[in-house]
Amino acid sequence: GFGINRCKQLGGETRAPTTAGAALLRQTIEGKVVQIACGREHSAILVEKNDGTRKVVMCGGNAYGQLGFEPHRPSETPELQTSALRDLSALSDVLAPAEVPVKIQCGLDHTAILTSAGRVFAMGWGADGQLGAGAGSTADHAAPVQVVGVDGKQRIVDISSTTDFTLALTEDSTLYYWGNAEYGQCMTGEKIDRVLSAMRVPFSQGKAASIAAGGSHALVLDSCGRVHVCGYGALGLGPDTISVLHPAAIKGIEGVTFIAASTDRCLAIDDERRVYSWGLGNTAGRLGNGTVSENAFAPQQLDVDPELVDPQL
């Protein structure tokens, strides 16, 4: 890994960051790395072991229990609030026989885990309902707790989280939402301080095929390749529309097959493997559009050779 490392989020015992021109920090994990997710100061790694079973490995900051073990509070030794690579052993306590993790997501200070049984577990910061633990539950949890509110007959097949809320998609294309919704990104037509358990989203703009959770906005890709956005920010709807409370279709991109979102930025790839980005915070060229300062309020095609784009995305 590379970058900031003050909480050991790069996996090793050292806290030294990587710098320009320096070698990457390399860590050894037994098995095949299936997926990596990164939060504000913690990382999660999904690993398929040599025997075919799976595990989750955690590292980084643990002030809220987002690594899956009880944190030591600031009044105690600060060193014990972080960890190098360690297995999430507590996950085995909540999984059924033959149930395995299939996807991991990191919010700012929480972790969400989707399993092969279509269940979602979360741990870490819960003040805004990030854990979906139910009505009245805003406590932090240092071990995985199951998200509640999903119809027991529905199996979740995808989750997305990057900040303080999570989107979930079921096998019959039903959308669910939990966590912070103060910008109206929950797609219900209203701004809600926090959603404490999974809430069904009445998406009527088409059949939902993929999801991407940003910071103050949410993206939904429908089965026809159209991208819909809801919330606040540079939404892709032009400079005059920075807030919508119902999903709105983004013009100028069609045949989309992949979407992604972060705190203030969005990315889309179409069926010709053309890449588009839009959003705020373009310091140092984060949007990849050839500038280092201008925000993009509508999708801009990037100068990326389609042959370099993974066709599996």
Side-chain angles (χ1 to χ4, degrees):
F2 52 92
I4 294 174
N5 192 37
R6 60 186 177 186
C7 289
K8 304 179 184 178
Q9 56 263 56
L10 298 185
E13 291 292 348
T14 177
R15 294 172 180 266
T18 60
T19 56
L24 303 182
L25 294 180
R26 301 180 183 274
Q27 313 297 338
T28 299
I29 297 177
E30 183 178 352
K32 176 184 177 182
V33 173
V34 177
Q35 187 207 344
I36 299 174
C38 298
R40 179 178 4 218
E41 292 182 326
H42 76 290
S43 305
I45 305 168
L46 180 59
V47 178
E48 185 171 296
K49 296 188 286 186
N50 297 332
D51 61 3
T53 60
R54 289 188 170 191
K55 66 177 181 178
V56 176
V57 180
M58 307 294 300
C59 61
N62 190 49
Y64 303 95
Q66 60 264 49
L67 299 189
F69 65 94
E70 193 64 37
H72 292 258
R73 297 305 176 186
S75 59
E76 302 179 50
T77 307
E79 288 292 324
L80 298 179
Q81 295 185 61
T82 65
S83 177
L85 291 172
R86 61 185 288 164
D87 291 354
L88 177 56
S89 57
L91 185 60
S92 61
D93 297 334
V94 296
L95 297 184
E99 185 178 16
V100 297
V102 296
K103 186 173 184 178
I104 49 178
Q105 292 284 274
C106 290
L108 291 178
D109 298 298
H110 75 280
T111 307
I113 302 167
L114 173 65
T115 77
S116 56
R119 300 194 295 168
V120 180
F121 294 88
M123 57 195 184
W125 192 20
D128 284 328
Q130 295 97 320
L131 308 185
S137 179
T138 56
D140 304 339
H141 284 272
V145 294
Q146 185 174 352
V147 172
V148 300
V150 179
D151 186 332
K153 298 180 181 179
Q154 293 181 311
R155 178 174 174 271
I156 294 175
V157 295
D158 195 16
I159 56 173
S160 178
S161 184
T162 61
T163 52
D164 291 327
F165 72 91
T166 299
L167 287 171
L169 180 67
T170 71
E171 58 187 350
D172 66 357
S173 297
T174 299
L175 290 175
Y176 282 91
Y177 183 107
W178 62 90
N180 180 278
E182 63 181 311
Y183 298 99
Q185 66 268 42
C186 54
M187 298 177 276
T188 61
E190 58 184 336
K191 298 178 181 179
I192 305 174
D193 182 37
R194 50 194 178 186
V195 179
L196 301 182
S197 59
M199 174 181 67
R200 184 168 179 168
V201 176
F203 184 75
S204 60
Q205 286 74 12
K207 183 178 180 180
S210 185
I211 50 178
S216 56
H217 63 286
L219 296 181
V220 179
L221 174 65
D222 70 25
S223 58
C224 294
R226 297 170 299 196
V227 181
H228 306 265
V229 64
C230 190
Y232 174 82
L235 302 176
L237 303 174
D240 297 325
T241 305
I242 61 172
S243 179
V244 292
L245 298 181
H246 293 282
I250 296 176
K251 298 179 180 179
I253 49 175
E254 300 177 342
V256 174
T257 59
F258 174 84
I259 54 173
S262 65
T263 305
D264 297 307
R265 295 171 290 280
C266 301
L267 190 75
I269 301 175
D270 68 14
D271 50 12
E272 298 293 330
R273 287 191 273 176
R274 291 174 293 209
V275 182
Y276 300 84
S277 76
W278 63 98
L280 302 173
N282 196 27
T283 305
R286 293 174 182 171
L287 295 178
N289 60 11
T291 72
V292 294
S293 59
E294 296 180 6
N295 298 319
F297 290 91
Q300 297 181 353
Q301 184 176 346
L302 306 186
D303 185 16
V304 177
D305 185 348
E307 294 298 320
L308 299 177
V309 179
D310 186 349
Q312 300 301 315
L313 292 176

